[in-house]
């Protein structure tokens, strides 16, 4: 049973999770307050959509994920909300409209390279969000969805700047140190693409980060082998 409760994110530490909790709490609070102060009736108003909670998980807990990057957060939420509003206007059946909205949102986000899981919730909210969402009409994707996404993303950028995480994420090469014999063959980028095609799966990691990870594995494997060989010669 312990396997079911094991961490599923590689490289995450408990301190990282505490930092993510703090960032999400600050980010969502600021998003709610700033949106309400600027477009509502003061700080006591609530102009916040539920998908922002899921966006906050990605931005603050997995900032290196391609799904958490600024264009994914802002574009994914806004595009999905637009799809949802359009489907709701054309399809009278709530059940059918819900399915078409989420499916259409995934297609639109994929084509626009802004895939963002909370976008599915934004599309669904546009269909079943109730009278307030219906009354907002085509403004819903802008206010509150778009404004919420922009404020939350800016909060994420500032927070990760202070916490020294890369966001918007860029894969940064690490110095390999002195050359180590027996390092083996460095995979060519085309080999990496071919391997990904063989597996037929989609991984929540950027291609550049995956390439860098494999290179670091090669370096550490070479160092371990060199240390083992040195130990045998003693």
């Amino acid at each position: 049973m312990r396997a079911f409760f094991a961490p599923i994110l590689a490289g995450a530490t408990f301190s990282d999770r505490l930092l993510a909790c703090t960032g999400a709490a600050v980010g969502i609070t600021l998003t709610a307050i700033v949106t309400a102060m600027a477009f509502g009736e003061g700080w006591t108003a609530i102009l916040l959509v539920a998908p922002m909670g899921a966006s906050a998980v990605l931005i603050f807990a997995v900032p290196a994920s391609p799904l958490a990057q600024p264009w994914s957060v802002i574009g994914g939420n806004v595009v999905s909300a637009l799809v949802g509003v359009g489907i709701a206007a054309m399809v009278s059946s709530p059940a059918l409209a819900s399915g078409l909205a989420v499916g259409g949102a995934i297609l639109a986000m994929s084509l626009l390279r802004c895939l963002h899981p909370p976008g599915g919730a934004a599309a669904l909210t546009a269909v079943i969000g109730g009278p307030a969402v219906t009354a907002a009409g085509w403004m819903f994707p802008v206010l509150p969805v778009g404004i919420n996404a922009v404020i939350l993303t800016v909060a994420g950028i500032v927070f990760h700047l202070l916490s020294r995480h890369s966001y918007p994420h860029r894969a940064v090469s690490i110095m390999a140190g002195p050359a180590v014999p027996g390092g083996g063959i460095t995979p060519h980028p085309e080999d990496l693409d071919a391997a990904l095609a063989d597996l037929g799966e989609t991984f929540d990691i950027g291609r550049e980060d995956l390439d860098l990870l494999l290179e670091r594995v090669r370096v550490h494997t070479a160092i371990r082998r060199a240390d083992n060989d040195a130990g045998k010669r003693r």
Side-chain angles (χ1 to χ4, degrees):
M1 288 293 292
R2 283 180 58 185
F4 288 101
F5 299 97
I8 59 173
L9 290 177
T13 64
F14 184 66
S15 61
D16 287 333
R17 296 285 75 83
L18 287 178
L19 194 64
C21 293
T22 303
V26 172
I28 288 294
T29 301
L30 286 177
T31 301
I33 291 176
V34 173
T35 306
M37 291 289 288
F39 302 97
E41 299 177 356
W43 68 272
T44 56
I46 297 295
L47 290 177
L48 193 66
V49 288
M52 291 304 114
S55 294
V57 174
L58 289 168
I59 292 174
F60 294 98
V62 282
S65 169
L67 306 177
Q69 302 313 298
W71 170 235
S72 295
V73 177
I74 299 170
N77 278 304
V78 172
V79 167
S80 298
L82 283 169
V83 171
V85 171
I87 294 295
M90 295 185 293
V91 180
S92 59
S93 167
L96 180 58
S98 297
L100 290 175
V102 174
I106 293 174
L107 176 60
M109 287 188 289
S110 298
L111 293 175
L112 294 173
R113 301 177 63 84
C114 58
L115 191 64
H116 186 62
L124 191 60
T125 302
V127 174
I128 62 172
V133 174
T134 302
W138 291 102
M139 277 301 297
F140 176 70
V142 179
L143 179 66
V145 174
I147 300 301
N148 282 177
V150 169
I151 297 172
L152 185 63
T153 300
V154 172
I157 292 172
V158 174
F159 184 84
H160 287 303
L161 181 65
L162 297 175
S163 64
R164 298 183 179 180
H165 283 87
S166 172
Y167 187 81
H169 180 68
R170 296 290 183 272
V172 180
S173 180
I174 302 173
M175 294 298 292
V180 180
I185 300 173
T186 300
H188 190 279
E190 291 182 1
D191 298 332
L192 180 59
D193 291 337
L196 290 170
D198 287 343
L199 294 174
E201 298 287 350
T202 300
F203 298 94
D204 189 11
I205 182 173
R207 183 183 175 282
E208 295 80 7
D209 286 311
L210 185 56
D211 194 18
L212 177 61
L213 178 61
L214 291 174
E215 171 61 20
R216 298 309 302 168
V217 170
R218 186 191 69 81
V219 169
H220 286 287
T221 298
I223 292 173
R224 178 177 53 80
R225 288 175 178 173
D227 289 344
N228 290 340
D229 291 342
K232 291 177 181 178
R233 288 194 294 266
R234 290 172 187 165

